[in-house]
Amino acid sequence: MELTNNTILITGGTSGFGYEFASRLIDMGNTVIITGRDQAKLDLTKKKLPLVHIFQSDVSDPIAIKQLYADVTTQFPSLNIIINNAGEMRKINLQDESIDLDNIVREIDINLSGPIRMVQAFLPHLKTGSSAAIINVTSGLALTPFPIAPVYGATKAGLRSYTKSLRVQLKNTNVKVFELVAPGANTPLNDQFAGEVDSKSFMEPDKLIDVAIKGIIKDKFEIYPGLARIMYILSRLAPGIIFGQLSKITEKSLAQTNS
């Protein structure tokens, strides 16, 4: 996959992986568009990356996705790559009766329904070009559950399954389908686990995105940076090992919450 002279849309581009993707891809000679829910964060990102194009949009909102499609394809008809990066991860105690039925599925709307709807909206346009790609960002927690973040893990496992199916269905088209299986990284997503998970094992976002970009260029359709590769191997050979460790972290966290 060529990663120069493309027009690329990245959801959740104001921090973490999305910001690193945007910065790197601009430097490589691409036109880069990012989305985010917070206009102030978008404006700040624009100051840091003057060449980036910003659109306020919420991937959990189907109406917002329809409007984003109309605006982006009108202003940037050469759009040929989308990176579904926006995501949310929450620690959830499933015995907490204060969580209402709408709130409990918030991560599904953002992490799973959002990318599926983005693909459904933009796919007809992507198919009109000579070369296009969809890059879905999943997680090492798509391979094994982290019980303290039960809905997040379920969404990433679901997105991984969807991505595999999408790749098969688009096999005979011009659209390549990539999955970036991200390990734990030093991003705002993981700030809530400070003191509970050994942050020394977290990967720096710039190094992770470097691996991702090299993988995309080489047409590695499933990319496993850092510890994600180890998690993949262990999930196949000894799935109970990682799950056992993550379960212990969960039990400790719940005990502290309930004490």
Side-chain angles (χ1 to χ4, degrees), residues 89-231:
M89 181 179 186
R90 296 183 295 167
K91 294 168 63 176
I92 297 176
N93 182 346
L94 296 174
Q95 297 187 71
D96 182 354
E97 297 178 2
S98 68
I99 304 175
D100 64 46
L101 297 182
D102 288 329
N103 183 272
I104 193 68
V105 297
R106 194 171 78 199
E107 285 154 290
I108 298 175
D109 293 334
I110 297 170
N111 301 350
L112 181 57
S113 298
I116 291 173
R117 287 170 173 152
M118 283 288 294
V119 171
Q120 199 67 19
F122 283 88
L123 183 58
H125 180 83
L126 295 178
K127 289 171 64 179
T128 63
S130 59
S131 176
I134 295 165
I135 301 153
N136 290 335
V137 179
T138 65
S139 165
L141 299 182
L143 307 173
T144 186
F146 188 11
I148 196 61
V151 181
Y152 177 84
T155 63
K156 292 301 185 179
L159 183 57
R160 177 172 171 81
S161 174
Y162 167 80
T163 303
K164 287 177 176 288
S165 296
L166 180 67
R167 187 179 299 120
V168 171
Q169 292 205 19
L170 298 184
K171 182 178 180 180
N172 296 319
T173 72
N174 63 311
V175 184
K176 296 179 179 180
V177 179
F178 296 87
E179 179 189 5
L180 171 57
V181 185
N186 285 315
T187 66
L189 192 76
N190 287 310
D191 288 347
Q192 62 192 305
F193 297 105
E196 295 182 6
V197 178
D198 184 6
S199 61
K200 294 179 181 179
S201 66
F202 286 171
M203 196 170 185
E204 292 301 325
D206 59 337
K207 294 181 180 179
L208 190 153
I209 297 306
D210 183 58
V211 173
I213 288 174
K214 289 178 180 177
I216 294 167
I217 291 172
K218 293 178 180 179
D219 278 352
K220 291 185 177 180
F221 296 116
E222 293 186 358
I223 303 167
Y224 300 90
L227 288 178
R229 170 60 61 181
I230 297 173
M231 292 184 71

Side-chain angles (χ1 to χ4, degrees), residues 21-129:
F21 258 131
S23 178
R24 285 290 305 277
L25 291 169
I26 288 172
D27 288 344
M28 294 172 70
N30 299 284
T31 298
V32 176
I33 307 148
I34 64 168
T35 72
R37 289 178 290 182
D38 188 325
Q39 186 63 50
K41 291 182 179 179
L42 286 166
D43 292 338
L44 180 59
T45 303
K46 178 68 173 177
K47 289 181 180 179
K48 294 178 180 178
L49 301 174
L51 294 179
V52 80
H53 302 273
I54 58 174
F55 285 84
Q56 185 178 29
S57 188
D58 182 352
V59 298
S60 69
D61 182 352
I63 295 175
I65 290 175
K66 289 180 181 179
Q67 188 62 54
L68 179 68
Y69 170 79
D71 293 341
V72 169
T73 55
T74 298
Q75 296 181 44
F76 300 92
S78 60
L79 176 75
N80 66 318
I81 297 176
I82 62 171
I83 302 178
N84 285 309
N85 167 76
E88 181 180 48
M89 181 179 186
R90 296 183 295 167
K91 294 168 63 176
I92 297 176
N93 182 346
L94 296 174
Q95 297 187 71
D96 182 354
E97 297 178 2
S98 68
I99 304 175
D100 64 46
L101 297 182
D102 288 329
N103 183 272
I104 193 68
V105 297
R106 194 171 78 199
E107 285 154 290
I108 298 175
D109 293 334
I110 297 170
N111 301 350
L112 181 57
S113 298
I116 291 173
R117 287 170 173 152
M118 283 288 294
V119 171
Q120 199 67 19
F122 283 88
L123 183 58
H125 180 83
L126 295 178
K127 289 171 64 179
T128 63

